[in-house]
Structure formats: structure tokens, C-alpha cells
Amino acid sequence: MVNLNVNIGGLELKNPVLTASGTFGYGTEYSDFIDISRIGCIIVKGTTLRERQGNAYPRMAETPSGMLNAVGLQNKGVDYFVEHIYPTLKRINTNVFVNVSGSMVEDYVKTAEKLNELDGIPGIELNISCPNVKEGGMAFGTSCASAAEVTKAVREVYKKSLMVKLSPNVTDIAEIARAVEAEGADSVSLINTLLGMAIDAEKRRPVLSTVTGGLSGPAVKPVALRMVWQTAKAVKIPVIGLGGIMNAQDAIEFILAGATAVQVGTANFIDPSVSVKIIDGIEDYLKRHKFNSISEIRGMI
Amino acid sequence: MKKFMLDLTVKENIPLENRYFLLKLTSNDRLPEMLPGQFAEVRVDDAPTVFLRRPVSIHYVDYVNNELWLLIQIVGGGTRKLSGLRAGNTLNLLFPLGNTFKLDTGKNSRIMLIGGGAGIAPLLFLGAYLKERGCQCNFLLGARTKKDLLQLHEFEKYGEVYTTTEDASHGEKGYVTQHSILNGTHFDIIYTCGPTPMMKAVAQYAEAGDIYCEASLENTMACGIGACLCCVTDTKDEGHVCVCTGGPVFNTKRLKW
């Protein structure tokens, strides 16, 4: 029996596989296909202080080995979450994080404060990297000063595990990671989507209603891997790697690059059971190479 | 209804006119229960330009022979790849997904099913289902030319079939909404699936005559199970609603299209 347990900033997970926000709904969408309680941690969709309708359709474009999305944080707001969604989530027998988004520091703080009260939610993922909202979102994640400011403000009110999700749309992601680490982040997750664009040549129009959107899927994996490797060398807090992970081998690559855990995102759309397959695949890999625990291979590169 | 991810076996792949093909899928196990209006997300492997699954309407379910039929038109790399499937090949499906057409129509309702192009696909299953429950169905199928009118012999098993073509090569000339059957007869329920301009015209006709009308929408989709929120349509009552879970069938009065 190999040990798949990992610790992400004071919180023990039964395995290093998380599901990425915005790709796994509230978890229950997937329960016909897998036992979702097997997942190390489910990160539910981006939640904002007030309800958001998101961007106009079309919000998605298929691209080579990936997809662009411009959903724009459609959600019913944190109060609705607490009242209507949390009661179901707290019965799931694994860790559930809420991804927190906003357009002003105050929004992040108020949302985090409300989530801090929920016993069944051991942590939040602070989304300072959404490329699909007009104000805020990614703007916070592209400068050290603003990333630090929002992390600091949330840290003051949020007492549980605080993961900060970083944007790849920056010159030096390690610098941003250090800035949020200095303000008390317990872990960082990276990468959020890469800003991209698709054009329909026949119609001579952009494919997405917002023109630009966030690129995900295997197309971004080499970029994500490089950024995880750079960041893991720059900070002491755990790094959660994501970006184009489709199978256990991809997940192992991120862990070898220094990630403590990984998030599986877009792959859930193609195979709703992929997260569980990745957990099993990691275990098989460790057995095959005669390692006793996942931590033995972390950061070997 | 419980959703499944299953590997089905291709029993037949029948090429039809104008880049359409009919896939008959089967399984060693009994196929799960499916209802008219629902769809499947079909996985396309080994096609370099294809990353996501393709949403495809359930065309017909033959429970006697344990067959699931998909009617597909080749429009891009994904559907082209699927058109090359041969008997014995395996195809991975997530299904049944989405809601259903209104199925409690009442036996005496006058029911019209209006389809265009590939949009005729879900109407066969719906017609067969309603006929089995003692309802009388009428089908109004429109296409550019006679060649695009598919599966007429199948539709004829379940009700009266009326057709329009733009070049008058079959049935009445013009669009479905111009067909004389819509002038002479009152219908209580209209179901429609096809190109958006056609469905909008059908919805307007229904609205004008105060007829209950449902349309099955087709939006670009990623997950098919309500997780990614990519496939939304705008509604008057609930704002952005996922076509994959809130639909694909909508009462046309709800739609802001």
C-alpha cells in the first residue's frame, strides 16, 4: 500500500488529486459516473459576492488540443451558495474548497468572511486570475502589489486553508507566488487559463462573444509545467499544479516538477471519471517504480 | 435519470444522402432507458482537430433489437471521423443527457412535429414514443432539396408526413412555415428541431395561434452535464440556462432568441 496523502498548508488530503474550479460544477453533476468522495479535494465553481449572469453566448471555442472559455463567473452568489448548495456539499465525504472571485478587494473579503463560517468547507481558493471578467479577476493576479493586497485582506478574515490561484498571463509567475506567500497564503495553485482568442474566418468574426477567452487543455500543459517548476523552486508553501492534465502520467510530471498536488480540469469534460482514474494511475506508478509515498517523487526535477 | 458512460458497439453505419449517415449502436447489456429529446455526448478518438465530445440527438431507440440510432451529418473533423466507423468498432457515449420533450400530451391532442435538416433526428424517437401511447402525430419536414429529406420511410411508420423543399423537388415548395397544412389545421402542440431561423419562425407561428410549442436547441457544448456552463441560452425567466441540463428542449415562450 503506497501512501498518497499530501498536506497542503496544514490540511491533509487523502490523495493529491483535486478537481479544478469551473470544471466540476458542485461535484454532484459527476456522481452518476464516480464516487466523488474518492477525490482528494473538490474545488467548486467560482463564487462571487453577488449573483452573476456571466458572459453572452458563445462562451466556448474548441481549439487544437484544448478549448477557450469565456463563461465569466456565472454563479448565484455566496448567499445562495450558503443556503442552497452548501447543505448538500457538506455531506460529501471529502474536502470541498470554494473558489472565491470578485472585482474589488472588499468583495473578496466579504465572500471569504461568509465562507469562513461554514464548518464543512476547510478552505478557499482565491481566484485572482480569471481572464473573463471586465474588472478585477485577472487584474489582481498580474501585479505583485495587487496580488499581495487582496491576499492580505482576505487572510485577515479567513482563518482556514487559503489557496491562491495564479494567472499565467504574467512575465514572472514566481514573483507573484512569493508576494502572496509573504501575505499568508497557505498554498498556490497554477495555472489558471492562458488568455487566448479564436476567429471564424468564414464569418470574419471572433468566435467568442467576448473576443478573448481562457485557454485550457493539453495545449497549455508545457507552459503550466514550466511555471509550476519555476514556482516550486521560489516558494516554501505547497504548489498545486494544473493545466492540461489528462491522465496519471501528466499528473506525475507536475509532481516531479515540484507540485504537492494537482488539479484536473478540462479533462473532466471528456471523461467524467478521469479524476478517479488519475488517482488509481498515480498509485500504480508509485508501485511500479517502488516508491512508498507520493512525497518521495515530489520535485525530483 | 441516471447517466452512463458506456462503450457501445457499432452494429451498422449506413451512409445516407448528402453527407448524412445513420449509426446503429448496440451493447451486450440492455441499453439504459432513454426518452425522446435526450442526447448523447459522443467521444471522438484519434482525430487531431477534435478535442471535445460531440453532442448528438438520440434519433431512435429500438428496444427489441437493443439498438440506439444516431443520425449525423458530416460538418467537420469530428463528424467526418465518426462517419468512418465500421461494424464492430467501439464508440464511447455519455448518455442519456438533458431533458425530454413534453411527453404527457393527452391522447386527443393534435400534435405536429416540425423538423429541418439534421434537426429531424430527435423527432423520430418522439413520434414513435407518442404513437406507442396512442397519440396521433403529424410530421412536417423541410429541406433544401429532395436529397436532404432523410428517413421519410421511418417517419411514415408513426404518422402523417408532410414535406417542403426549397426547390419543389418533394412536397410543397418553400419553407416549413409556408406549408398549407399549417393554414388549414389547428394543432394543440408543436415540437420543432432544426436550424435556428426555422425554429424561430415555427415559434412565431405557434405564438400567433396560441399553440404550445417546444424547440430542441443545439449549442456548442463542452461537458454535457451542467458543469462547465458553456452552452447557455438566454431565457426570460431564469437568465442564462445550460442547454445541456435545462434543455435541450425549451418551451419557446421562455427563449430570448
Side-chain angles (χ1 to χ4, degrees), chain B residues 1 40 84 87 103 107 110 113 119 136 138 140 152 205-207 247:
Chain B
M1 266 170 97
L103 299 173
K107 273 194 183 167
R110 299 171 78 94
L113 287 70
Q136 291 271 345
N138 299 278
L140 173 52
L152 288 183
Y205 166 83
E207 178 106 39

Side-chain angles (χ1 to χ4, degrees), chain B residues 16 20 23 30 88 113 155 211 217:
Chain B
L16 304 173
Y20 281 89
L23 279 181
R30 205 180 139 75
L113 287 70
F155 284 103
I211 302 166
L217 305 189

Side-chain angles (χ1 to χ4, degrees), chain A residues 4 33-34 50 53 60 63 100 113 116 128 152 159 165 181 192 217 231-232 247-248 251 253 263 279:
Chain A
L4 290 182
F33 305 103
I34 49 171
R50 278 178 268 285
Q53 273 291 316
M60 191 274 285
T63 57
V100 174
E113 259 178 330
N116 193 53
I128 58 168
K152 183 181 180 185
K159 306 303 173 199
K165 189 169 190 177
E181 179 184 39
N192 204 325
T231 305
N247 51 46
E253 291 172 21
Q263 292 182 15
I279 297 166

Side-chain angles (χ1 to χ4, degrees), chain A residues 53-288:
Chain A
Q53 273 291 316
N55 295 319
Y57 179 83
R59 297 173 165 188
M60 191 274 285
E62 188 178 39
T63 57
S65 294
M67 60 180 277
L68 288 162
N69 90 80
V71 171
L73 299 174
Q74 179 177 329
N75 78 102
K76 290 185 183 294
V78 67
D79 291 335
Y80 182 92
F81 172 85
V82 171
E83 201 175 327
H84 298 283
I85 299 168
Y86 172 66
T88 311
L89 286 183
K90 70 177 178 190
R91 288 199 291 268
I92 300 173
N93 188 25
T94 192
N95 295 293
V96 176
F97 272 34
V98 178
N99 178 284
V100 174
S101 298
S103 43
M104 291 186 298
V105 173
E106 196 180 276
D107 295 352
Y108 282 101
V109 170
K110 282 184 181 161
T111 309
E113 259 178 330
K114 289 173 192 261
L115 295 170
N116 193 53
E117 303 303 312
L118 306 180
D119 293 335
I121 303 290
I124 58 173
E125 181 181 54
L126 201 61
N127 183 1
I128 58 168
S129 45
C130 178
N132 295 323
V133 292
K134 280 204 177 95
E135 25 186 63
M138 191 171 85
F140 285 106
T142 50
S143 93
C144 288
S146 55
E149 183 195 359
V150 66
T151 305
K152 183 181 180 185
V154 170
R155 180 76 287 176
E156 275 169 19
V157 300
Y158 194 74
K159 306 303 173 199
K160 292 180 258 179
S161 191
L162 177 61
M163 185 185 295
V164 181
K165 189 169 190 177
L166 305 183
S167 172
N169 304 300
V170 295
T171 310
D172 182 1
I173 197 166
E175 186 181 80
I176 311 275
R178 277 194 297 265
V180 302
E181 179 184 39
E183 295 300 345
D186 294 309
S187 62
V188 284
S189 54
L190 61 141
I191 58 173
N192 204 325
T193 54
L194 271 162
L195 195 59
M197 178 170 170
I199 294 174
D200 183 330
E202 291 301 317
K203 293 178 182 159
R204 291 178 291 283
R205 281 207 304 253
V207 177
L208 300 173
S209 69
T210 49
V211 184
T212 62
L215 181 65
S216 63
V220 310
K221 199 191 86 176
V223 177
L225 208 49
R226 181 265 294 179
M227 289 187 160
V228 164
W229 177 72
Q230 288 176 324
T231 305
K233 295 204 179 311
V235 295
K236 293 189 180 66
I237 54 176
V239 173
I240 319 302
L242 71 149
I245 294 175
M246 299 298 287
N247 51 46
Q249 185 181 311
D250 293 337
I252 295 287
E253 291 172 21
F254 275 85
I255 293 166
L256 290 170
T260 298
V262 295
Q263 292 182 15
V264 180
T266 305
N268 292 306
F269 302 155
I270 290 125
D271 180 355
S273 65
V274 72
S275 50
V276 167
K277 288 177 185 163
I278 291 175
I279 297 166
D280 294 338
I282 292 172
E283 189 171 352
D284 288 346
Y285 173 93
L286 294 173
K287 282 181 187 162
R288 192 154 52 81

